[in-house]
Amino acid sequence: GRSQKKEVAVSLATALSNETVAEVARNHAEELAPHLPTSDDPARELSETVRTPQFRQAADTLGHALQTGQLGPVVAQFGMDEATVGSANQGDIRGFAANLTKAEGGEDAAKTQ
Amino acid sequence: MTDAGSWCLIESDPGVFTEMLRGFGVDGLQVEELYSLDDDKAMTRPTYGLIFLFKWRQGDETTGIPSDKQNIFFAHQTIQNACATQALINLLMNVEDTDVKLGNILNQYKEFAIDLDPNTRGHCLSNSEEIRTVHNSFSRQTLFELDIKGGESEDNYHFVTYVPIGNKVYELDGLRELPLEVAEFQKEQDWIEAIKPVIQQRMQKYSEGEITFNLMALVPNRKQKLQEMMENLIQANENNELEEQIADLNKAIADEDYKMEMYRKENNRRRHNYTPFVIELMKILAKEGKLVGLVDNAYQAAKEKSKL
């Protein structure tokens, strides 16, 4: 069920709209390109994306949906595991990040950050 | 997904309006943002109308005189989400200039609605599938089929347009019964000069009440005008003494092209569903062990903010 603790509202746009993420995005152009709006210059579109108001708005809306327990069904459709979906259903964004990291095998990499 | 008949919420900036004109098939016009009423760079003449956008509140008084003159095309606003489009069309219906072509969709609407009363005109507009389709092509992104409740309340924005007809200036407000006569001007006078005090007063009132507002102008297609000027200059440039002016025009045309390209890019992004991108990005960040740190930073930032 939902956590009763009053958590602050995290802005997913704040988490994702920065140079760190922009660089990761550039390094993964092949995986991300299919999900971009069509453009004449996909490389440029990708490098501009995380700074655009449209991306930020989407991130914040999804972040809000996640923290209000509405995103469970959506992330389930994207093939995330039970623990990760569970965090989403509980509105737990930090739990979501931790579980997704575990599922994607990023725990060791996380230790070196 | 929308039902047949429903109008989506759209952004309402010069980029959307200018592209919307294109979507309707209008030729010879564009919409420019005004940073002040003295912004003559933006208000290329002839300026066909002004669009005033503000957060609506009840009991907003006006100083105009209601007019039911038959030479004014005026339609009531019948659907909240259509307010921007409705205001723009109200304005367009009163533009008469050989350099301006309204295109099939709007000409058909005008022909159909011209003999009807304002309320019926409004309903005709909101029932027009073609107009609604163009409007909805600018809808804000929907994130999957879920009706995800956003965090902020939707602000109630309202649009009012100012248009010169004959030697008078009218305020067209789709939520009022009739057009309002707000200024008069002499034939040789620039109607903008006549309407400035009226709008300035309104801007002042809103500034004092801390109500956000925005002003835009409906102007001739700038690139077309620049290209006409270019042709004239080239023809007159017998001894190459006009090279500098021609270079300036080239730059101005390039600026317009760039601006239109930015509008297209923005609208393209507005229509795009970023959900798959965000999810895929988070998976990649998770795999690289960066996601937890980033979310944590944002959490700390939110915590700090909440203490203020």
Side-chain angles (χ1 to χ4, degrees), chain A residues 3-24:
Chain A
S3 163
Q4 292 305 305
K5 201 168 22 140
K6 180 140 206 304
E7 288 282 3
V8 290
V10 176
S11 158
L12 191 58
T14 300
L16 299 180
S17 182
N18 51 60
E19 187 49 35
T20 304
V21 177
E23 197 182 322
V24 171

Side-chain angles (χ1 to χ4, degrees), chain A residues 37-42 44-45 48 54, chain B residues 14-16 18-19 22 30 32 223 252-271:
Chain A
T38 48
S39 74
D40 298 327
D41 191 343
R44 183 154 175 202
E45 185 65 35
E48 291 176 354
Q54 291 76 27
Chain B
V16 170
T18 298
E19 290 264 280
R22 203 189 311 272
Q30 70 191 61
E32 288 293 307
K223 186 173 173 179
I253 289 173
D255 288 345
E256 280 299 308
D257 281 338
Y258 180 76
K259 186 165 65 183
M260 294 299 144
E261 181 56 36
M262 287 299 110
Y263 286 164
R264 266 192 289 277
K265 251 177 151 175
E266 261 170 23
N267 285 320
N268 205 23
R269 288 169 185 159
R270 280 192 183 109
R271 292 181 190 113

Side-chain angles (χ1 to χ4, degrees), chain B residues 45-108:
Chain B
R45 304 305 207 264
T47 296
Y48 296 105
L50 297 175
I51 302 166
F52 195 83
L53 149 68
F54 57 100
K55 277 197 196 171
W56 185 80
R57 49 159 197 184
Q58 207 138 27
D60 194 15
E61 281 151 35
T62 180
T63 54
I65 309 163
S67 170
D68 58 1
K69 272 198 168 147
Q70 292 307 299
N71 65 336
I72 309 170
F73 187 105
F74 177 67
H76 284 164
Q77 177 185 312
T78 50
I79 294 194
Q80 174 56 31
N81 280 359
C83 60
T85 304
Q86 203 127 13
L88 180 63
I89 291 178
N90 247 342
L91 176 48
L92 290 169
M93 295 290 104
N94 293 294
V95 173
E96 300 275 355
D97 191 310
T98 47
D99 285 342
V100 173
K101 308 274 182 291
L102 289 184
N104 286 337
I105 295 175
L106 295 180
N107 275 325
Q108 270 171 29

Side-chain angles (χ1 to χ4, degrees), chain A residues 7-12 14-16 18 20-21 24 28 31-32 35-38 44-46 48-49 52 54-55 58 61-62 64-65 70 74-75 77-78 80 93-94 96-98 100-101 104 106 109-110 113, chain B residues 11 140-141 143-144 146-151 258 261-262 265-266 268-270 272-292 294-303 306:
Chain A
E7 288 282 3
V8 290
V10 176
S11 158
L12 191 58
T14 300
L16 299 180
N18 51 60
T20 304
V21 177
V24 171
H28 292 267
E31 294 124 280
L32 292 169
H35 306 299
L36 288 174
T38 48
R44 183 154 175 202
E45 185 65 35
L46 178 61
E48 291 176 354
T49 295
T52 63
Q54 291 76 27
F55 168 81
T61 304
L62 288 169
H64 174 84
Q70 297 181 75
V74 175
V75 300
Q77 281 182 48
F78 279 98
M80 295 192 183
I93 192 168
R94 289 192 294 168
F96 174 85
L100 184 59
T101 300
E104 293 291 316
Q113 295 300 319
Chain B
E11 311 265 359
R140 289 206 209 143
Q141 49 187 244
L143 297 168
F144 263 57
L146 293 179
D147 182 22
I148 293 182
K149 277 111 183 93
Y258 180 76
E261 181 56 36
M262 287 299 110
K265 251 177 151 175
E266 261 170 23
N268 205 23
R269 288 169 185 159
R270 280 192 183 109
H272 186 69
N273 180 353
Y274 280 96
T275 303
F277 183 86
V278 173
I279 304 264
E280 187 61 39
L281 183 60
M282 287 197 294
K283 280 184 176 173
I284 292 169
L285 290 166
K287 191 166 184 184
E288 297 202 355
K290 295 187 159 83
L291 186 62
V292 168
L294 289 166
V295 170
D296 233 43
N297 287 345
Y299 174 79
Q300 296 304 330
K303 235 178 147 184
S306 72

Side-chain angles (χ1 to χ4, degrees), chain A residues 77-106:
Chain A
Q77 281 182 48
F78 279 98
M80 295 192 183
D81 74 0
E82 219 178 295
T84 310
V85 174
S87 295
N89 282 329
Q90 286 172 5
D92 178 5
I93 192 168
R94 289 192 294 168
F96 174 85
N99 281 321
L100 184 59
T101 300
K102 212 167 175 180
E104 293 291 316

Side-chain angles (χ1 to χ4, degrees), chain B residues 4-245:
Chain B
S6 76
W7 294 68
C8 300
L9 205 59
I10 64 173
E11 311 265 359
S12 46
D13 61 29
V16 170
F17 278 137
T18 298
E19 290 264 280
M20 191 180 283
L21 290 172
R22 203 189 311 272
F24 284 135
V26 173
D27 185 50
L29 294 173
Q30 70 191 61
V31 175
E32 288 293 307
E33 179 115 32
L34 294 182
Y35 297 102
S36 81
L37 281 168
D38 299 313
D39 195 346
D40 288 323
K41 184 170 185 286
M43 278 193 285
T44 36
R45 304 305 207 264
T47 296
Y48 296 105
L50 297 175
I51 302 166
F52 195 83
L53 149 68
F54 57 100
K55 277 197 196 171
W56 185 80
R57 49 159 197 184
Q58 207 138 27
D60 194 15
E61 281 151 35
T62 180
T63 54
I65 309 163
S67 170
D68 58 1
K69 272 198 168 147
Q70 292 307 299
N71 65 336
I72 309 170
F73 187 105
F74 177 67
H76 284 164
Q77 177 185 312
T78 50
I79 294 194
Q80 174 56 31
N81 280 359
C83 60
T85 304
Q86 203 127 13
L88 180 63
I89 291 178
N90 247 342
L91 176 48
L92 290 169
M93 295 290 104
N94 293 294
V95 173
E96 300 275 355
D97 191 310
T98 47
D99 285 342
V100 173
K101 308 274 182 291
L102 289 184
N104 286 337
I105 295 175
L106 295 180
N107 275 325
Q108 270 171 29
Y109 169 69
K110 191 172 183 177
E111 265 173 50
F112 194 80
I114 195 144
D115 293 323
L116 306 171
D117 66 274
N119 199 256
T120 313
R121 282 181 187 148
H123 285 294
C124 277
L125 199 160
S126 47
N127 286 332
S128 161
E129 201 180 314
E130 291 96 345
I131 295 178
R132 191 182 67 240
T133 302
V134 173
H135 168 101
N136 283 341
S137 71
F138 294 94
S139 68
R140 289 206 209 143
Q141 49 187 244
T142 44
L143 297 168
F144 263 57
E145 284 89 23
L146 293 179
D147 182 22
I148 293 182
K149 277 111 183 93
E152 293 166 30
S153 61
E154 292 299 345
D155 295 316
N156 234 16
Y157 280 102
H158 188 49
F159 293 81
V160 156
T161 54
Y162 293 92
V163 63
I165 302 172
N167 69 326
K168 307 238 200 262
V169 183
Y170 296 93
E171 178 183 306
L172 304 181
D173 180 342
L175 291 182
R176 297 196 188 272
E177 274 307 302
L178 291 169
L180 299 170
E181 184 192 317
V182 290
E184 210 173 331
F185 60 102
Q186 305 303 319
K187 212 167 170 204
E188 317 78 42
Q189 218 190 335
D190 182 4
W191 76 277
I192 300 285
E193 292 306 316
I195 198 61
K196 264 188 197 178
V198 174
I199 296 185
Q200 261 156 3
Q201 198 177 54
R202 200 158 192 170
M203 283 163 75
Q204 179 99 7
K205 194 172 72 169
Y206 289 147
S207 292
E208 283 164 12
E210 289 183 358
I211 296 171
T212 32
F213 59 84
N214 211 2
L215 194 56
M216 291 175 270
L218 183 66
V219 296
N221 182 310
R222 287 158 72 113
K223 186 173 173 179
Q224 282 174 3
K225 293 290 170 190
L226 289 168
Q227 280 171 332
E228 275 169 33
M229 283 167 66
M230 176 84 98
E231 274 161 34
N232 293 335
L233 276 193
I234 289 175
Q235 275 178 18
N237 192 28
E238 286 164 354
N239 304 315
N240 290 338
E241 75 274 18
L242 298 171
E243 287 302 311
E244 207 180 306
Q245 282 99 313

